[in-house]
Amino acid sequence: GASPYLATPLPVVEAMLRLAEVKPGETVYDLGCGDGRILVTAVEKFGARGVGVELDKEVLALARENVRQHALEQRVRLMQGNMFAADVRPADVVALYLLPEALGRLRPLLERQLRPGARVVTHDFPIPGWQAARTEKLARGDGTFHTIHLYRR
């Protein structure tokens, strides 16, 4: 099934990109990019380029508007499509906020396509069967935590 669209809070977005050590000129992919906030932050704060894949037309329209408002059309490419058929070979970093079932389904694609040195960073849920290089917790303020998992190929 599709993962519900839930926006990642901005402090978590920054923590994900920081944990993944995104460097200027690198390419960050967001599969299920929602409103594009991870891509916008990757470009504005980390000097990266962004590529987003989103199946839902209405959600993708939000991302396009967000990118336009930040005048980042030259740095962010947005595509409507199925993330399970995505080409992530150019990715330096892949950011994911998906349910475990979707992460499990993506895993073979990531294993096939990601080049050595690429990083995958997930919010809340780990990738089944992968060993995280690092895991970081961020307090939500209500006694619960966001968990960020970093993987290196």
Side-chain angles (χ1 to χ4, degrees), residues 3 30-32 53 82-88 94-114 120 122 127-128 130:
S3 291
D30 185 354
L31 302 182
V53 179
N82 179 347
M83 69 175 101
F84 300 108
D87 176 3
V88 298
V94 179
L96 302 168
Y97 183 21
L98 302 168
L99 295 173
E101 183 214 354
L103 291 170
R105 277 181 66 200
L106 264 183
R107 180 182 149 183
L109 176 127
L110 298 171
E111 288 174 348
R112 260 197 324 274
Q113 294 189 7
L114 288 182
V120 179
T122 69
I127 296 175
W130 277 17

Side-chain angles (χ1 to χ4, degrees), residues 125-147:
F125 302 107
I127 296 175
W130 277 17
Q131 198 56 50
R134 287 182 62 191
T135 296
E136 201 173 274
K137 288 196 180 305
L138 262 86
R140 287 180 199 258
D142 62 358
T144 66
F145 291 87
H146 293 278
T147 308

Side-chain angles (χ1 to χ4, degrees), residues 31-123:
L31 302 182
C33 67
D35 67 5
R37 63 177 61 195
I38 288 178
L39 301 171
V40 166
T41 305
V43 174
E44 288 197 329
K45 299 221 161 151
F46 295 83
R49 306 182 75 79
V51 178
V53 179
E54 175 59 58
L55 194 56
D56 186 309
K57 277 195 176 78
E58 286 170 36
V59 175
L60 189 64
L62 292 176
R64 287 199 198 286
E65 184 53 32
N66 194 7
V67 167
R68 198 163 43 242
Q69 280 175 358
H70 289 84
L72 297 177
E73 293 95 334
Q74 301 306 308
R75 307 290 306 267
V76 177
R77 193 156 59 92
L78 295 170
M79 293 176 281
Q80 196 204 352
N82 179 347
M83 69 175 101
F84 300 108
D87 176 3
V88 298
R89 284 171 299 191
D92 295 296
V93 174
V94 179
L96 302 168
Y97 183 21
L98 302 168
L99 295 173
E101 183 214 354
L103 291 170
R105 277 181 66 200
L106 264 183
R107 180 182 149 183
L109 176 127
L110 298 171
E111 288 174 348
R112 260 197 324 274
Q113 294 189 7
L114 288 182
R115 56 175 181 241
R119 289 91 74 202
V120 179
V121 62
T122 69
H123 175 202

